[in-house]
Amino acid sequence: MSEFMSSHWKKIVGMVFLIVLTVAMGIACAFTMTKNIEVSLDENTGNGSVQTQTLASQRQSQIGEVLKQKGYPVDNGEYTVSVPLDTKVKDVDNVTIKKNAKGTLNVDGNGHTYDSTADTVGDLLKDQNITLGASDVVVPSADTPLTTEVKEIKIVRREEKEESRMEAIPFEVKQTVNPELEDGKQNIITAGVNGSKKITDKLIYEDGILVSRETVSAQTVLEPVTEVIEVGSKVTTEVKQETREESIAFTSQKVENPELEQGKTNVKTAGVNGTARIIENVTYENGKETARSVVSKETIKEPVTEVVEVGTKAAEPAPTPTPEPTPEATQPEAPTEQPAPAPEPAPAPTPEPAPAPEPEPEQPAEESNGIDLSNATHFTANCTAYVATGNATASGAWPTSGHTIAADLSNYPIGTRIYIPYFDTVFTVEDSGGAVKGNVIDIFFDSYAEAISFGRRNLDAYVLN
């Protein structure tokens, strides 16, 4: 062996050198050889904005260094790389750089921000350990891609409940005709009773707020009872004979008076209405008047014709004034010689039939109480009588005999003063009544006997202006 080594040592050393050299060269090649990797930059906008580039790098280089050298945003916190940055080039073929999605997540009344690389909204919720109920609503939906365009995610907690309540069922009303019951009257045969039903509603709450209510079922618990009413149709007819008095309007006559100045008039005889007594048959059906016919008509007081004098005397011409003498006048005329159209005994105003000796009935009985009827409005009042009802009058005052009357307030308002010569009294309108219409005047009396005794009469009356 030693002989062999001695004779071949040079060859052996040469072979070892070659082996070491080969290994060294292999190791050097391993460090200096390159590899192609595919790098994708995803801006995560959701519209396919992905840029892909192939890079040739030394196999032993770290991915992070390679990406930085090529200007990729790998260390600003806004992008996420699909592999660790210290990974060797030789160990990967593809690298993805994706921009993080940022926004606000609102759930259970709270809002917080997220910074995520999750692919969908649902993936983000899983990463956030948020559990969804069966009826919960996610906006946008869980399968929506999580891109930089999504700025807000809202989770609506949705809850459904059922509630029951009772509700009344109104009863119906049925009418039947009873020919034995007086027309206009009614009797309840069967009283109506409301029924009831059980209503079940479905209520939907979103984040604890009621947003809808829907009836899902209705069950009758108690049937309603129909109300039965009988309506009378029987008509009772009654004929009564009634007596009333009616005014007979007076007529007017004009006569000329040559002693009365032209253009003037004078009432010589005051007109007075007459009175007629009328007997009528009045038909009532169930107490309501339906017809009226005259049986007889008798004049119990003839009307007095009004006589009016019309003046025809021409007015006297005004006296001509005498001219006064001027200083130059040589022969002034004495006033005694020229009796200047003397103010002739001023046409002694033709003694207009002085308002004196005229017969009393010819003037509206104003002298009895010194009442001035010159501007009063005359009318014939259909006078009736009434007594106390226990209530105040329409004016609010309590009625007083000899003072209070009721009238049609559309013709004679509260406070109107009306003089009735029959009573020689001025009455005041303080009340009204359902049957007091037109020229009807209802006079208040203290006692029922007085009212019955007065009855109904047509009397002259004057509205004092």
PDB file of all heavy atoms in Angstrom, residues 316 342-349:
ATOM      1  N   GLU A 316    -147.648 130.544  -2.513  1.00  0.00           N
ATOM      2  CA  GLU A 316    -147.610 131.985  -2.799  1.00  0.00           C
ATOM      3  C   GLU A 316    -146.231 132.351  -3.337  1.00  0.00           C
ATOM      4  O   GLU A 316    -145.212 131.878  -2.832  1.00  0.00           O
ATOM      5  CB  GLU A 316    -147.882 132.777  -1.509  1.00  0.00           C
ATOM      6  CG  GLU A 316    -149.297 132.613  -0.970  1.00  0.00           C
ATOM      7  CD  GLU A 316    -150.321 133.302  -1.845  1.00  0.00           C
ATOM      8  OE1 GLU A 316    -149.913 134.184  -2.634  1.00  0.00           O
ATOM      9  OE2 GLU A 316    -151.506 132.934  -1.771  1.00  0.00           O
ATOM     10  N   ALA A 342    -145.536 144.307   0.349  1.00  0.00           N
ATOM     11  CA  ALA A 342    -145.505 143.918   1.751  1.00  0.00           C
ATOM     12  C   ALA A 342    -145.535 142.435   1.916  1.00  0.00           C
ATOM     13  O   ALA A 342    -146.216 141.731   1.223  1.00  0.00           O
ATOM     14  CB  ALA A 342    -146.699 144.532   2.437  1.00  0.00           C
ATOM     15  N   PRO A 343    -144.758 142.029   2.849  1.00  0.00           N
ATOM     16  CA  PRO A 343    -144.785 140.593   3.162  1.00  0.00           C
ATOM     17  C   PRO A 343    -146.211 140.282   3.488  1.00  0.00           C
ATOM     18  O   PRO A 343    -146.574 140.160   4.619  1.00  0.00           O
ATOM     19  CB  PRO A 343    -143.875 140.463   4.378  1.00  0.00           C
ATOM     20  CG  PRO A 343    -143.389 141.826   4.674  1.00  0.00           C
ATOM     21  CD  PRO A 343    -143.933 142.780   3.666  1.00  0.00           C
ATOM     22  N   GLU A 344    -146.992 140.359   2.394  1.00  0.00           N
ATOM     23  CA  GLU A 344    -148.403 140.104   2.594  1.00  0.00           C
ATOM     24  C   GLU A 344    -148.560 139.192   3.758  1.00  0.00           C
ATOM     25  O   GLU A 344    -147.845 138.247   3.873  1.00  0.00           O
ATOM     26  CB  GLU A 344    -148.979 139.437   1.354  1.00  0.00           C
ATOM     27  CG  GLU A 344    -148.806 140.305   0.120  1.00  0.00           C
ATOM     28  CD  GLU A 344    -149.232 139.559  -1.095  1.00  0.00           C
ATOM     29  OE1 GLU A 344    -149.462 138.360  -0.970  1.00  0.00           O
ATOM     30  OE2 GLU A 344    -149.349 140.157  -2.149  1.00  0.00           O
ATOM     31  N   PRO A 345    -149.560 139.516   4.425  1.00  0.00           N
ATOM     32  CA  PRO A 345    -149.777 138.681   5.596  1.00  0.00           C
ATOM     33  C   PRO A 345    -149.393 137.295   5.177  1.00  0.00           C
ATOM     34  O   PRO A 345    -150.207 136.578   4.624  1.00  0.00           O
ATOM     35  CB  PRO A 345    -151.251 138.817   5.888  1.00  0.00           C
ATOM     36  CG  PRO A 345    -151.754 139.791   4.856  1.00  0.00           C
ATOM     37  CD  PRO A 345    -150.637 140.290   4.031  1.00  0.00           C
ATOM     38  N   ALA A 346    -148.105 137.090   5.338  1.00  0.00           N
ATOM     39  CA  ALA A 346    -147.566 135.821   4.859  1.00  0.00           C
ATOM     40  C   ALA A 346    -148.644 134.803   4.739  1.00  0.00           C
ATOM     41  O   ALA A 346    -149.318 134.505   5.677  1.00  0.00           O
ATOM     42  CB  ALA A 346    -146.528 135.323   5.829  1.00  0.00           C
ATOM     43  N   PRO A 347    -148.731 134.343   3.513  1.00  0.00           N
ATOM     44  CA  PRO A 347    -149.826 133.408   3.316  1.00  0.00           C
ATOM     45  C   PRO A 347    -149.933 132.645   4.565  1.00  0.00           C
ATOM     46  O   PRO A 347    -149.445 131.547   4.670  1.00  0.00           O
ATOM     47  CB  PRO A 347    -149.365 132.536   2.178  1.00  0.00           C
ATOM     48  CG  PRO A 347    -148.081 133.151   1.705  1.00  0.00           C
ATOM     49  CD  PRO A 347    -147.736 134.296   2.555  1.00  0.00           C
ATOM     50  N   ALA A 348    -150.582 133.358   5.473  1.00  0.00           N
ATOM     51  CA  ALA A 348    -150.768 132.686   6.739  1.00  0.00           C
ATOM     52  C   ALA A 348    -150.911 131.236   6.455  1.00  0.00           C
ATOM     53  O   ALA A 348    -151.925 130.775   5.994  1.00  0.00           O
ATOM     54  CB  ALA A 348    -152.031 133.217   7.393  1.00  0.00           C
ATOM     55  N   PRO A 349    -149.785 130.578   6.662  1.00  0.00           N
ATOM     56  CA  PRO A 349    -149.781 129.162   6.302  1.00  0.00           C
ATOM     57  C   PRO A 349    -151.166 128.635   6.457  1.00  0.00           C
ATOM     58  O   PRO A 349    -151.654 128.489   7.544  1.00  0.00           O
ATOM     59  CB  PRO A 349    -148.824 128.534   7.293  1.00  0.00           C
ATOM     60  CG  PRO A 349    -148.083 129.691   7.867  1.00  0.00           C
ATOM     61  CD  PRO A 349    -148.787 130.963   7.520  1.00  0.00           C
TER      62      PRO A 349
END
